Amino acid sequence: MQLQRVLLATDGSQDSRLAARAAADLCKKSGAELHLVHAYRYPQDYGYPGVLSEDYVEACEESARMVAEDEKQAIEKRGCPVAGVHVEAGPAIEVILDAADGLKADLIVMGSRGRGPIRRLVVGSVSEGVVHHADHPVLVMRGGEEAWPLRWVVIGDDGSEAARGAGELAATIGGHFDARGELVRVFPELPEQDTKGRAFNPRLVEDALRRAERALGERAGELERPLGRRPAIVVATGDPAEKLVRLAAEKEAPLVAVGSRRLGAMQRLRLGSVSTNVLRAAEGPVLVHPARR
């Protein structure tokens, strides 16, 4: 998969700076254009509710432009030219998605706004909103200085088109940094039962796992070229998100890549999804590739 346009969403936070570093390095190595987008809101003028003076509006706009310009200069000092800077007032999720659609971006790169694991579990974030509504793959950077450059990519594969896209993009990104890879398929707790419905059938389970291992081996062969080496394969049982996060935690500077099935908002709140749970629980970078609409 060839990257042509990468959109970096920046807000000046620590994880945003990490995202800028990752986006700049990735564009330098892939030859992709790098664009910046920065969204800002007008703070409430409590003295005159609903009324903002012209000077106040201009001051807000100028402050936002300075944030974007500072990021642009920092990126270009890393030797990566910035093809365009987009500064817009409005809800961050909408501004980022509109910019990505307008550019036909191949990848959105952003930080997680510095939220810790507990806050990610309790409250949604801009990065989560972008992930769940984007028609484009999203790379969410977190994990501090050790998270970049990549050393490992852990790819969740469930046989879906979105997971295939996540694997190809993760392998392409990892290949630029000589990262190693692990391709993982996780089955929920085994449902097969014997004819009396009293116990699990070991033979059915073993056959299913062997089939999955063969399919995963073929998929690993397809990813060998973009990654630069054949990824190891892992077939496991249990909760998919928990297993992916646990496997990633055992690696050095890992990226976890998953596909998104585009669950509706209520379904995500009620049931969760693998991509949502990985995004909330992983300590390092997460790449989410959407299913086609």
Side-chain angles (χ1 to χ4, degrees):
M1 178 179 181
Q2 184 177 0
L3 292 173
Q4 296 181 333
R5 283 174 295 277
V6 172
L7 178 65
L8 169 66
T10 180
D11 63 4
S13 67
Q14 182 176 351
D15 279 348
S16 179
R17 289 191 289 272
L18 177 63
R21 178 179 156 200
D25 290 351
L26 181 56
C27 287
K28 282 171 60 179
K29 287 181 176 292
S30 67
E33 287 184 358
L34 178 58
H35 292 256
L36 305 185
V37 61
H38 175 61
Y40 67 98
R41 302 290 293 268
Y42 296 115
Q44 177 66 46
D45 187 336
Y46 292 102
Y48 302 93
V51 178
L52 298 174
S53 71
E54 184 176 339
D55 289 344
Y56 187 72
V57 169
E58 290 180 356
C60 290
E61 293 173 350
E62 180 60 24
S63 176
R65 284 193 293 268
M66 287 177 63
V67 171
E69 182 61 28
D70 288 347
E71 196 70 82
K72 177 178 181 289
Q73 292 181 13
I75 288 171
E76 291 186 334
K77 284 182 180 178
R78 296 184 67 87
C80 177
V82 174
V85 177
H86 312 267
V87 179
E88 299 288 344
I93 294 172
E94 293 180 15
V95 170
I96 293 166
L97 294 176
D98 286 347
D101 289 342
L103 290 167
K104 294 182 170 55
D106 299 302
L107 177 67
I108 301 170
V109 183
M110 62 190 306
S112 62
R113 297 185 63 86
R115 293 183 183 273
I118 299 300
R119 292 193 66 193
R120 288 200 299 268
L121 287 170
V122 176
V123 184
S125 65
V126 172
S127 55
E128 187 174 320
V130 170
V131 164
H132 289 317
H133 294 95
D135 291 323
H136 315 268
V138 183
L139 173 60
V140 179
M141 292 300 302
R142 65 165 73 104
E145 294 296 317
E146 295 182 357
W148 194 266
L150 293 178
R151 298 180 181 87
W152 274 92
V153 292
V154 176
I155 302 167
D157 187 288
D158 62 4
S160 68
E161 181 184 8
R164 179 175 291 271
E168 290 174 357
L169 182 53
T172 298
I173 294 172
H176 287 304
F177 299 94
D178 196 31
R180 289 180 286 175
E182 195 164 70
L183 186 61
V184 183
R185 181 167 295 186
V186 184
F187 291 91
E189 295 300 338
L190 303 173
E192 290 86 351
Q193 292 183 311
D194 64 20
T195 54
K196 295 182 179 180
R198 295 177 180 174
F200 292 114
N201 186 325
R203 179 171 295 177
L204 289 176
V205 172
E206 290 174 6
D207 288 346
L209 293 179
R210 286 196 194 97
R211 288 194 299 272
E213 197 168 84
R214 286 196 297 270
L216 214 56
E218 293 175 3
R219 185 74 186 118
E222 296 171 3
L223 296 178
E224 183 173 0
R225 182 174 180 181
L227 185 61
R229 63 182 77 194
R230 188 181 180 89
I233 63 172
V234 175
V235 178
T237 59
D239 179 85
E242 181 181 339
K243 187 67 175 181
L244 286 168
V245 171
R246 185 174 299 174
L247 287 170
E250 298 170 356
K251 308 293 186 295
E252 186 180 13
L255 163 70
V256 183
V258 291
S260 171
R261 296 193 177 195
R262 291 188 182 275
L263 292 176
M266 291 307 297
Q267 286 178 293
R268 287 196 301 272
L269 287 172
R270 187 170 60 250
L271 302 174
S273 69
V274 173
S275 59
T276 298
N277 293 338
V278 168
L279 185 61
R280 291 178 175 179
E283 294 299 317
V286 177
L287 173 68
V288 181
H289 194 290
R292 292 182 180 177
R293 290 190 185 275

